[in-house]
Amino acid sequence: MRDNSRHGIFGISWDRRGTAAAVFGYSRKVAGLDPRAVLKERPSVGLIAGLVIAGFCALVSFSFDIINGDPVQFFIALGLAVAPVPLLLAGVLALDRMEPEPRSNLAFAFAWGAGIAVLLAGLLNSLNLVYVAHQLGDVGNARNLVATFGAPPVEETAKGLVLLGLLWFRRHELDGPTDGIIYASMVGLGFAMSENVSYYIAALQENGAQGLAATLVLRAVLSPFAHPLFTSLIGIAVAYAAQRRGSVGVIVIVIGWIGAMLLHGLWNGLATFGGLGGLAIAYLLLMLLLVVELVVIFRDRRRIVGLIQHYLPPYERNGLINQADIFMLSSLRRRRHARAWAKALGGRAGARAMIDYQLASTELGLLHARAARGGVDEETFRAQQRSLADLMAYARMSFPLPERHQADAARGVPPPGYAPGAPPPGRWPGGPA
């Protein structure tokens, strides 16, 4: 029988009428159901309710700040606390480019830190201060003791609860230590932003503009990632537990929780009792932890690349991928280059298609890894596999490939500018560049 199909963009087969042939059952009818839905997460009732509660808690916390100061001081402090947040968020999210987390989850983690965790910790810390001050008869010493020994357990527990919530309700989103660090950083940044308002008001009241400037430099310039780094130990532990069942995960979470509290207490204690020398030692410890976590993130990125290179080649026979795609997906630099190529030829629609393809491909590799360790049942795996494959096929058909290059692309030869340096067809790349 004569084959009446012809190969279209990057090897997806088309019939004479221009409709897509079978690619995991993909068809234009499926496209009408929005294949991008697999990457979207519609806000649930629980998420909306959580954001409302977090916003209410933030308002209550800020009302206490207004009562303790005056409206002018409050708005000065609020402006200074909020100003660096976009830059800090950009720094955190820049580490999450290989497999970005859902925006709704990130927003909730930030809101939890800025509202619920701050209010809960503020109330408990105030009660602790009243109790210790009553026992000692000295408010100054009581404040130092509570800051060193009382506040770290309270604050890390208040922040860490949202990470336990993610483990319970969104376990499938925790695919590695990077995810734990990102979520912990979001809740830590939210917490630090709201907490800084109180510190800036206190500095203004006690030492005026000079005290405010010193506090601003210490908290916003020298240690803006202190809270994220403390809580990241819990985040890494929770991400580890998400990939394992049984008591081992619980033990790791407890160790991470204790580590976060100890590091937080050490920072507060050295800053309170150690003077400038103690502060320098505490700062050095934070920087060492930051370097270690950056190494963890980059190693985790290589792990994800390895999953893509291991699990995706079999999809070549379905026309979903070829070795040039694997080569492109194995490097953030090459991914950026491919998006620029798609945007140059196809505008925003072309760039959107490339982004969808990259995200769906990465999620497909992670889905296989999740199934391999028993983290997803067969029915769920098949449903998600099909959805991701549909999106990959739909995205490929939207690539802005000029007609003169379609024949070569169908044979697996990348078009000019798509994946410079890709090996010739017939050999899969051995690793990331």
Side-chain angles (χ1 to χ4, degrees), residues 410-423:
R411 296 194 300 270
V413 178
Y418 174 71

Side-chain angles (χ1 to χ4, degrees), residues 308-368:
I308 293 172
Q309 294 175 344
H310 178 71
Y311 287 114
L312 266 59
Y315 289 89
E316 183 179 18
R317 63 177 175 267
N318 300 104
L320 291 176
I321 204 162
N322 59 41
Q323 68 182 53
D325 301 321
I326 295 287
F327 181 77
M328 176 271 292
L329 291 167
S330 297
S331 164
L332 287 177
R333 175 178 56 83
R334 293 195 287 267
R335 289 185 180 215
R336 287 195 303 269
H337 189 97
R339 293 194 296 270
W341 170 84
K343 185 175 183 180
L345 293 179
R348 294 181 63 181
R352 180 72 264 172
M354 183 60 67
I355 291 171
D356 288 348
Y357 182 78
Q358 293 174 350
L359 289 177
S361 301
T362 305
E363 290 290 348
L364 185 57
L366 290 170
L367 175 65
H368 275 278

Side-chain angles (χ1 to χ4, degrees), residues 121-147 150-151:
L123 292 174
L124 293 177
N125 285 338
S126 297
L127 292 175
N128 284 339
L129 179 59
V130 170
Y131 175 78
V132 176
H134 177 73
Q135 296 297 317
L136 296 180
D138 186 335
V139 175
N141 286 336
R143 183 177 290 110
N144 292 337
L145 289 174
V146 169

Side-chain angles (χ1 to χ4, degrees), residues 11 68 138 190 217 283 290 356:
N68 292 332
D138 186 335
V217 170
Y283 187 76
L290 176 61
D356 288 348

Side-chain angles (χ1 to χ4, degrees), residues 136-380:
L136 296 180
D138 186 335
V139 175
N141 286 336
R143 183 177 290 110
N144 292 337
L145 289 174
V146 169
T148 303
F149 300 103
V154 168
E155 294 179 5
E156 294 310 315
T157 298
K159 290 182 289 180
L161 288 175
V162 72
L163 299 174
L164 289 183
L166 285 169
L167 178 63
W168 185 263
F169 296 106
R170 294 288 188 272
R171 177 185 288 261
H172 61 279
E173 296 293 351
L174 297 169
D175 289 302
T178 298
D179 294 343
I181 292 172
I182 296 300
Y183 284 119
S185 296
M186 294 300 291
V187 68
L189 288 177
F191 188 94
M193 180 193 73
S194 294
E195 186 184 54
N196 282 346
V197 176
S198 301
Y199 276 95
Y200 294 158
I201 290 175
L204 267 174
Q205 291 178 336
E206 295 174 7
N207 299 298
Q210 185 176 0
L212 174 61
T215 304
L216 182 65
V217 170
L218 176 61
R219 297 188 65 84
V221 178
L222 294 180
S223 59
F225 290 111
H227 274 290
L229 285 172
F230 302 150
T231 314
S232 65
L233 296 180
I234 301 176
I236 293 173
V238 166
Y240 179 91
Q243 300 178 55
R244 290 161 180 81
R245 301 287 182 176
S247 60
V248 174
V250 176
I251 294 172
V252 170
I253 291 176
V254 171
I255 292 173
W257 217 290
I258 293 174
M261 293 187 296
L262 288 177
L263 182 63
H264 194 160
L266 188 61
W267 167 268
N268 287 358
L270 289 173
T272 300
F273 299 106
L276 290 177
L279 185 60
I281 294 173
Y283 187 76
L284 179 61
L285 290 175
L286 277 186
M287 291 303 100
L288 288 175
L289 178 58
L290 176 61
V291 171
V292 170
E293 292 194 0
L294 289 176
V295 172
V296 169
I297 289 172
F298 286 113
R299 287 177 62 88
D300 193 40
R301 187 175 295 170
R302 292 181 65 87
R303 177 187 67 87
I304 295 174
V305 168
L307 295 177
I308 293 172
Q309 294 175 344
H310 178 71
Y311 287 114
L312 266 59
Y315 289 89
E316 183 179 18
R317 63 177 175 267
N318 300 104
L320 291 176
I321 204 162
N322 59 41
Q323 68 182 53
D325 301 321
I326 295 287
F327 181 77
M328 176 271 292
L329 291 167
S330 297
S331 164
L332 287 177
R333 175 178 56 83
R334 293 195 287 267
R335 289 185 180 215
R336 287 195 303 269
H337 189 97
R339 293 194 296 270
W341 170 84
K343 185 175 183 180
L345 293 179
R348 294 181 63 181
R352 180 72 264 172
M354 183 60 67
I355 291 171
D356 288 348
Y357 182 78
Q358 293 174 350
L359 289 177
S361 301
T362 305
E363 290 290 348
L364 185 57
L366 290 170
L367 175 65
H368 275 278
R370 204 176 302 131
R373 64 172 182 263
V376 61
D377 59 78
E378 180 72 15
E379 181 179 357
T380 301

